[in-house]
């Protein structure tokens, strides 16, 4: 940090990122040089085949060339390891060393071509060991050259050539940030970044139809992604360092912080809810939420028997028996739902696996055990679902009887509207309640399905006042404060551990970026040491490293920009202004969004790190949305989001009973956020 400037452009790699890649190549080159030297020493004076002179010359020049490459790599690794992340001064010679190393690729390429020619034309009559060694050298040369080319593509920054040259001292000292020239430069850079991200999305989703809805989604997502780190000069390794430092900082604060007060009952009522009954209902509904994923999740959850159980049901003639099922040509999805839920075919009213952007699969069934008409909505399982997830703009969602501003996540609001129209306009719910008029309506889903289920419940609330919704691991950036408060009467959000998704919102991500910048700017150790120690900590645990914390430096120092002079947005960044104090507002064009309903938080009871064979004990408690206003960095932040992990925790709490219904004050890790 900042991104390295070489060959007249900025690259997505910093001058201190060459330690690991250079060390790996150095290790390979040294082994190669030793092997070549051994071959030359053993066969010296014995090159008596027809191409012996050529072979002798090839090995000598290869040894000399490898020696120069090894020396250049040693210099690169040594210099790249100097200084700190925000002090690139000791590494100012890195671009020159990179130029020298790049120049050595030319003779290496030529010599690899000559070696290939010798092997094909002049190697007849030579010893097989000599020929094999040269072939290995030639193959190694081409592998390293191709690997270097691939690496260059990875660190290539399409926006690097757009960066202006270093400003003069006068410009750095007094620069009018509000001038038309500066505004035009900023606008141009952002528009270019948006186009670059749109192109990347189109390339990634090339298999999807390029219709108007997809193009609009690409544009919206590109604007969201391109603007997030546009005011920083962070490279990916800087972000990794910031996350590693932040994780250890959070763990240190969690160990020394006094237990926070937890909610002993549902925040929607002064009377304590029966937590055990809610857990029983949640565990039951989670079976339907996980069944909505179809056969991939069923096989994943049952790796030994899942495929065998479904093999007899898939690909058979469906005829009129499965006329309620749409979008499931082979019948595998519906068969897995039957196995997962234990229901019969006659219990299903409607099943749809139709999947487009803003249109996600769902099914409607009669749950006789709980006397409910149950609507289960699938979570993210395709590129189209991912586009729906990433369409995170705010969209108005007016609801009668709700005071305050009503808006929600655009992608999930559109998906909820699609299912709402299908349920009412196609008479699906009318058919279900004609069969079972005394049943109540229950809506459930996981992740994308959980967010969509919550918004669908809000839309249906006026028509079905007694409906209930169980949203598992819903996204944090889902609905406005007014809608979140309104939904507390009928929506329960279930969150496991340090799940990342319920903490995902644009303000939270802006806050995470600001804290990453703080951690990186405060650290006075080389990047490679932080990454090595961070990896060790993530894999094997131990005590958090005693790195400088964000309180170890004066606040006025934190108000200084973190970027080099070459960066586009060296001044005027909202992120840097926000470093001035903890009370500074987070500058964000997106409106704040919240988790739906009441929040039932499940955490592991006991130490955060445990043996792989130890029994897991869980604790459940009602929590507040304030506990999810910061992203918690943890190895389990993704694993805790998986539907099978949520189902396993609920089953453990409702069947095995190794959990606390009345949480103690010893382990409130979900509230211990920085």
């Amino acid at each position: 940090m900042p991104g390295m400037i070489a060959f007249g452009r900025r690259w997505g790699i910093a001058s201190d990122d060459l330690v690991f890649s250079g060390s790996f190549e150095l290790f390979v080159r040294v082994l190669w040089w030793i092997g070549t030297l051994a071959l030359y020493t053993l066969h010296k004076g014995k090159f008596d085949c027809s191409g012996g002179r050529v072979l002798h010359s090839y090995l000598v020049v290869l040894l000399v060339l490898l020696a120069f490459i090894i020396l250049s790599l040693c210099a690169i690794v040594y210099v790249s390891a100097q200084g700190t992340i925000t002090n690139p001064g000791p590494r100012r010679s890195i671009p020159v060393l990179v130029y020298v190393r790049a120049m050595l690729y030319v003779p290496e390429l030529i010599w690899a071509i000559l070696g290939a020619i010798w092997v094909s034309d002049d190697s007849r009559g030579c010893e097989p060991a000599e020929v094999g060694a040269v072939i290995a050298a030639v193959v190694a040369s081409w592998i390293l050259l191709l690997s270097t080319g691939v690496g260059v593509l990875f660190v290539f920054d399409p926006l690097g050539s757009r960066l202006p040259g270093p400003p003069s001292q006068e410009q750095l000292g007094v620069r009018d940030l509000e001038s038309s020239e500066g505004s035009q430069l900023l606008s141009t850079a952002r528009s270019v970044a948006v186009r670059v991200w749109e192109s990347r999305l189109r390339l990634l989703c090339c298999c999807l139809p390029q219709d108007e809805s997809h193009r609009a989604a690409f544009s919206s997502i590109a604007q969201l992604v391109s603007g997030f780190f546009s005011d920083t000069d962070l490279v990916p390794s800087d972000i990794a360092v910031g996350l590693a430092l932040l994780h250890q900082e959070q763990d240190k604060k969690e160990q020394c912080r006094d237990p926070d007060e937890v909610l002993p009952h549902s925040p929607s009522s002064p009377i304590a809810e029966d937590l055990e009954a809610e857990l029983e209902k949640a565990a039951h509904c989670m079976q339907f939420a996980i069944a909505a994923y179809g056969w991939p999740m069923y096989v994943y959850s049952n790796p030994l028997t899942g495929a065998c159980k479904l093999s007899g049901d898939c690909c058979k003639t469906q005829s009129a028996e499965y006329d309620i099922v749409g979008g499931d040509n082979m019948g595998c999805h519906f068969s897995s739902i039957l196995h997962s839920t234990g229901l019969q075919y006659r219990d299903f009213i409607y099943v749809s696996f139709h999947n487009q952007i803003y249109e996600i699969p769902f099914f409607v069934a009669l749950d006789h055990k709980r006397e409910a008409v149950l609507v289960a909505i699938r979570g993210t399982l395709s590129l189209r679902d991912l586009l729906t997830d990433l369409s995170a703009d705010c969209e108005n969602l007016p609801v009668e009887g709700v005071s305050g501003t009503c808006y929600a996540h655009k992608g999930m609001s559109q998906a909820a509207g699609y299912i709402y129209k299908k349920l009412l306009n196609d008479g699906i719910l009318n058919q279900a309640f004609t069969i079972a008029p005394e049943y109540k309506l229950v809506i459930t889903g996981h992740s994308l399905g959980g967010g969509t289920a919550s918004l669908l419940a809000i839309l249906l609330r006026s028509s079905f006042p007694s409906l209930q919704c169980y949203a598992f691991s819903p996204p944090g950036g889902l609905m406005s404060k007014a809608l979140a408060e309104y939904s507390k009467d009928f929506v329960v959000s279930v969150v496991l551990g340090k799940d990342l998704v319920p903490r995902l919102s644009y303000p939270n991500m802006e806050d995470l970026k600001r804290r990453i910048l703080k951690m990186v700017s405060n650290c006075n150790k080389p990047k490679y040491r932080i990454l090595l120690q961070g990896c060790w900590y993530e894999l094997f645990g131990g005590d958090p490293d005693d790195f400088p914390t964000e309180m170890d430096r004066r606040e006025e120092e934190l108000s200084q920009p973190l970027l080099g002079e070459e960066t586009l947005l060296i001044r005027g960044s909202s992120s840097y202004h926000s470093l001035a104090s903890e009370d500074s507002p987070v500058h964000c064009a997106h409106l704040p969004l919240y988790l739906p309903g009441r929040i039932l938080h499940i955490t592991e009871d006991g130490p955060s790190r445990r043996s792989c064979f130890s029994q897991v004990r869980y604790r459940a408690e009602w929590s507040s949305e304030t506990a999810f206003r910061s992203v918690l960095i943890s190895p389990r932040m993704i694993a805790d989001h998986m539907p099978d992990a949520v189902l396993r925790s609920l089953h453990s709490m409702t069947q095995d009973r190794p959990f606390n219904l009345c949480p103690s004050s010893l382990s409130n890790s979900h509230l211990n956020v920085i």
Side-chain angles (χ1 to χ4, degrees), residues 1-6 9-22 76-77 79-82 84-88 91-95 98 151 154-157 233-239 241 520 526-528 531 562 564 566:
M1 179 177 152
M4 186 171 64
I5 305 297
R9 66 179 300 117
R10 179 195 182 275
W11 296 82
I13 189 172
S15 57
D16 54 356
D17 286 337
L18 303 177
V19 175
F20 296 113
S21 59
I76 289 175
V77 171
V79 175
S80 181
Q82 304 305 306
T84 61
I85 298 175
T86 53
N87 179 26
R91 303 188 298 272
R92 64 173 62 92
S93 59
I94 279 290
V98 170
F154 271 106
V155 301
F156 179 79
D157 184 0
D233 198 7
L234 294 175
V235 296
S237 61
D238 296 330
I239 300 174
V241 164
V520 170
K527 183 186 293 184
Y528 76 94
L531 290 175
L562 303 179
E566 296 82 3

Side-chain angles (χ1 to χ4, degrees), residues 530-542:
I530 302 172
L531 290 175
L532 286 175
Q533 294 170 356
C535 289
W536 180 271
Y537 181 78
E538 298 296 339
L539 293 174
F540 304 106

Side-chain angles (χ1 to χ4, degrees), residues 91 292 319 363 668:
R91 303 188 298 272
S319 65
F363 67 82
N668 299 324

Side-chain angles (χ1 to χ4, degrees), residues 164-416:
S168 64
Q169 294 299 325
E170 293 79 5
Q171 289 174 318
L172 287 176
V174 285
R175 185 175 181 179
D176 182 10
L177 295 179
E178 303 301 328
S179 65
S180 59
E181 182 180 354
S183 300
Q184 183 178 1
L185 180 63
L186 180 60
S187 176
T188 302
R190 285 178 175 171
S191 63
V192 171
V194 170
R195 289 199 298 270
V196 167
W197 278 101
E198 277 194 67
S199 301
R200 289 172 174 171
L201 288 170
R202 288 196 183 97
L203 181 62
L204 178 66
C205 305
C206 58
C207 58
L208 300 182
Q210 303 296 312
D211 54 22
E212 187 60 34
S213 61
H214 285 84
R215 284 193 294 269
F218 291 156
S219 177
S220 175
I221 296 169
Q223 292 180 14
L224 176 71
V225 176
S226 64
F228 188 67
F229 278 108
S230 63
D231 58 352
T232 72
D233 198 7
L234 294 175
V235 296
S237 61
D238 296 330
I239 300 174
V241 164
L243 292 175
L245 293 175
L246 186 57
H247 179 206
Q248 296 179 62
E249 181 72 9
Q250 288 175 343
D251 283 357
K252 283 194 294 184
K253 287 182 178 275
E254 184 175 315
Q255 291 173 4
C256 65
R257 176 172 291 183
D258 292 333
D260 292 333
E261 182 180 358
V262 297
L263 297 175
H265 54 77
S266 168
S268 66
S269 171
I271 302 176
E273 290 279 345
D274 186 353
L275 187 56
E276 184 174 356
E278 288 291 349
L279 287 170
E280 292 279 0
K281 295 176 184 177
H284 181 73
C285 288
M286 186 59 199
Q287 294 178 339
F288 292 87
I290 200 172
Y293 281 96
W295 70 263
M297 185 57 65
Y298 183 79
V299 173
Y300 174 79
S301 302
N302 303 274
L304 299 179
T305 61
C308 295
K309 288 182 178 179
L310 295 180
S311 60
D313 299 327
C314 297
C315 304
K316 68 180 183 180
T317 303
Q318 307 298 325
S319 65
E321 182 185 5
Y322 286 15
D323 56 354
I324 63 170
V325 182
D328 186 18
N329 296 329
M330 299 179 64
C332 295
H333 285 305
F334 187 54
S335 297
S336 68
I337 292 177
L338 292 174
H339 283 288
S340 299
T341 61
L343 299 181
Q344 302 297 318
Y345 167 78
R346 62 178 178 271
D347 298 325
F348 288 86
I349 305 300
Y350 183 82
V351 182
S352 171
F353 290 97
H354 168 76
N355 192 201
Q356 291 294 335
I357 184 172
Y358 307 143
E359 300 175 3
I360 56 180
F362 70 99
F363 67 82
V364 180
L366 298 178
D367 179 14
H368 302 295
K369 181 178 180 180
R370 296 285 178 173
E371 295 187 345
V373 174
L374 195 140
V375 180
I377 306 174
R378 196 186 77 179
T380 303
L381 199 63
S382 69
L383 268 178
R384 296 176 176 89
D385 298 333
L386 187 59
L387 292 177
T388 302
D389 284 318
L390 294 177
S391 297
D393 289 341
C394 296
E395 181 175 80
N396 289 329
L397 188 68
V399 177
E400 185 178 354
V402 178
S403 59
T405 307
C406 298
Y407 52 86
H409 182 288
K410 176 183 176 180
M412 297 179 197
S413 177
Q414 293 276 341

Side-chain angles (χ1 to χ4, degrees), residues 10 21-22 34 54 68 74 79 102 149 170 267 301 305 371 399 433 435 466 469 501 534 538 555 568-569 576 583 643:
R10 179 195 182 275
S21 59
I34 293 174
V54 178
F68 278 109
C74 288
V79 175
E170 293 79 5
S301 302
T305 61
E371 295 187 345
V399 177
F433 284 104
I435 299 174
S466 62
C469 175
V501 174
E538 298 296 339
E555 291 294 340
L568 177 61
L569 303 179
Y576 304 133
D583 299 328

